[in-house]
Amino acid sequence: MYFKALPKIAYPWQDKKGTFRAVQTPDIFRRVQLDKFFKNRQILVEFWVPDGDQPEHVAYNYYGSMQYHWLVLLANNIVDTKREWPLSHRDLVSYVDDKYGAGNATSTHHYVDSVKTELIVDWDAGKLAGGSIKEVTNFDYENDINDKKKQITLLDKKYLKDIVTQYKKLVR
């Protein structure tokens, strides 16, 4: 649906004989702004991405069709699903092993204040033993980042037809 609505452009392509030909392809560099929909918080709904679900799954579960996966991404300003979409638990474990080295998932990433956990503090043996600061492991740190990615917003499905119509008009 997303690419079908894009206008076609002539893209130069060289065949095996060295002859250049113009191939008709969707203009993937065309961008549109749908601010009217995504700036109005009243027509957005909060959605928690289940473990392992991809944008296509979310679109199917919420809108009833996988073809609206682009709307899931657009509503959350996601361009690179490899880096911006939440990882499954299995992929997160692999990611932590790759990033920090195998066996380092439980190593200390940083320390935080026990009450204000968003406040990063320096290590202090006395405060750690007294419980006023606590350790955050590499896995816990990456898991918190991944959990924040799981909380997304979707355009209320009753506006689906309106946004698709507007998208088609704007992209032309």
Side-chain angles (χ1 to χ4, degrees), residues 5-165:
L6 292 173
K8 305 281 188 218
I9 59 169
Y11 183 78
W13 177 73
Q14 188 175 13
D15 64 17
K16 291 179 183 178
K17 296 178 183 177
T19 307
F20 279 97
R21 301 178 191 275
V23 177
Q24 293 294 315
T25 185
D27 182 3
I28 62 171
F29 299 106
R30 179 74 57 111
R31 295 277 186 238
V32 295
Q33 288 291 80
L34 296 165
D35 293 341
K36 170 182 150 185
F37 290 97
F38 299 119
K39 288 194 176 188
N40 184 350
R41 291 286 172 201
Q42 294 176 342
I43 62 174
L44 297 175
V45 293
E46 298 289 321
F47 188 86
W48 182 263
V49 178
D51 187 50
D53 273 11
Q54 295 300 310
E56 294 82 4
H57 299 118
V58 172
Y60 180 78
N61 291 334
Y62 187 72
Y63 296 116
S65 174
M66 292 173 124
Q67 76 172 342
Y68 298 117
H69 71 281
W70 61 272
L71 191 53
V72 173
L73 300 174
L74 199 62
N76 293 283
N77 201 23
I78 294 175
V79 177
D80 182 357
T81 56
K82 296 274 189 217
R83 293 176 41 218
E84 298 174 286
W85 189 258
L87 298 170
S88 68
H89 182 75
R90 176 188 281 178
D91 290 340
L92 181 62
V93 170
S94 296
Y95 174 76
V96 170
D97 281 346
D98 288 345
K99 184 173 180 178
Y100 299 102
N104 291 321
T106 57
S107 297
T108 303
H109 188 275
H110 63 273
Y111 294 91
V112 295
D113 186 283
S114 294
V115 178
K116 297 179 182 177
T117 56
E118 70 279 353
L119 180 64
I120 298 174
V121 296
D122 291 331
W123 178 82
D124 182 317
K127 289 182 179 178
L128 186 61
S132 63
I133 67 171
K134 66 179 187 175
E135 171 191 36
V136 176
T137 66
N138 291 329
F139 183 81
D140 292 339
Y141 173 73
E142 296 297 339
N143 192 47
D144 286 345
I145 292 171
N146 198 52
D147 280 348
K148 289 175 185 164
K149 293 177 185 177
K150 288 182 178 184
Q151 184 64 51
I152 64 171
T153 55
L154 299 173
L155 181 73
D156 193 322
K157 56 182 126 190
K158 65 184 171 189
Y159 299 103
L160 182 61
K161 188 182 272 187
D162 295 336
I163 197 164
V164 169
T165 302

